[in-house]
């Protein structure tokens, strides 16, 4: 096993000509809008303009997996980024929504072989969500977009479409 740090940097040739989908939850929209801004900024920094990023909104985080599956089924996208914010309340609703959204997103990715990234915040408070949506703790939308491009690079290397790094 190598002790070297893995090369997950994204070069222009790693994403040249690729398109990405983002499915975003409209529930907690002010938080999710910040995540979306982070994701699109990350794509733009890596040479992927808005014409290569398709954004679709779902009512809530629970619906993200179905929208992600629909995006994957088009065959147009190298990866799908799922963005949302599930904030704990006084009921068990949080546990069901967060858990099922995570399981569904993972299932779409594993079943399809297309990277489907979990950019859904699961926090106790709105303040914690805002910290992770462009505040003191960075922007998890940015992180999810970067991870999408990194996974495309990893899978391309395994599938023989790119060089192993």
């Amino acid at each position: 096993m190598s002790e070297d740090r893995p090369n997950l940097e994204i070069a222009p040739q790693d994403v040249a000509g690729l398109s990405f989908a983002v499915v975003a939850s409209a529930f907690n929209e002010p938080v999710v809008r910040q995540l979306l801004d982070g994701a699109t900024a990350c794509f733009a920094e890596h040479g992927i303009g808005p014409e290569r990023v398709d954004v679709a909104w779902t009512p809530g985080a629970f619906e993200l997996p179905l929208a992600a599956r629909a995006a994957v089924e088009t065959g147009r996208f190298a990866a799908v980024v799922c963005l949302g914010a599930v904030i704990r309340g006084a009921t068990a609703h949080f546990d069901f929504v967060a858990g099922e959204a995570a399981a569904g997103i993972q299932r779409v990715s594993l079943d399809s072989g297309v990277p489907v990234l979990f950019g859904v915040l699961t926090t106790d408070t709105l303040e914690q969500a805002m910290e992770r949506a462009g505040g003191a703790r960075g922007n998890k939308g940015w992180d999810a977009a970067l991870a999408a491009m990194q996974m495309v690079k990893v899978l391309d290397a395994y599938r023989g479409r790119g060089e192993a790094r």
Side-chain angles (χ1 to χ4, degrees), residues 39-93:
T40 56
C42 182
F43 284 131
E45 185 170 300
H46 290 87
I48 300 167
E51 71 283 353
R52 291 180 25 217
V53 179
D54 186 81
V55 178
W57 289 88
T58 65
F62 192 81
E63 294 79 22
L64 289 170
L66 182 57
R69 187 174 90 184
V72 165
E73 288 174 349
T74 69
R76 297 179 10 227
F77 306 109
V80 179
V81 176
C82 297
L83 301 176
V86 184
I87 301 171
R88 188 177 300 280
T91 69
H93 182 76

Side-chain angles (χ1 to χ4, degrees), residues 12-13 16 18 26 70 105 118 124 133 144 148 151 161:
Q13 66 268 20
L18 300 179
I105 290 166
F118 185 77
D124 289 325
M151 283 303 299
R161 292 191 298 255

Side-chain angles (χ1 to χ4, degrees), residues 56-154:
W57 289 88
T58 65
F62 192 81
E63 294 79 22
L64 289 170
L66 182 57
R69 187 174 90 184
V72 165
E73 288 174 349
T74 69
R76 297 179 10 227
F77 306 109
V80 179
V81 176
C82 297
L83 301 176
V86 184
I87 301 171
R88 188 177 300 280
T91 69
H93 182 76
F94 170 92
D95 299 314
F96 293 107
V97 172
E100 293 303 321
I105 290 166
Q106 179 188 39
R107 192 172 89 214
V108 173
S109 188
L110 292 173
D111 288 352
S112 69
V114 173
V116 181
L117 284 292
F118 185 77
V120 179
L121 301 179
T122 55
T123 63
D124 289 325
T125 66
L126 176 60
E127 293 76 24
Q128 290 173 341
M130 293 306 285
E131 286 177 0
R132 291 161 177 79
R137 296 191 180 255
N139 188 305
K140 300 308 177 188
W142 174 286
D143 296 347
L146 182 61
M149 292 181 282
Q150 291 169 331
M151 283 303 299
V152 168
K153 179 178 176 176
V154 167

Side-chain angles (χ1 to χ4, degrees), residues 19-53:
S19 293
F20 293 83
V22 178
V23 292
S25 167
F27 199 82
N28 291 316
E29 187 265 339
V31 176
V32 179
R33 179 77 56 188
Q34 296 280 41
L35 295 172
L36 178 59
D37 289 347
T40 56
C42 182
F43 284 131
E45 185 170 300
H46 290 87
I48 300 167
E51 71 283 353
R52 291 180 25 217
V53 179

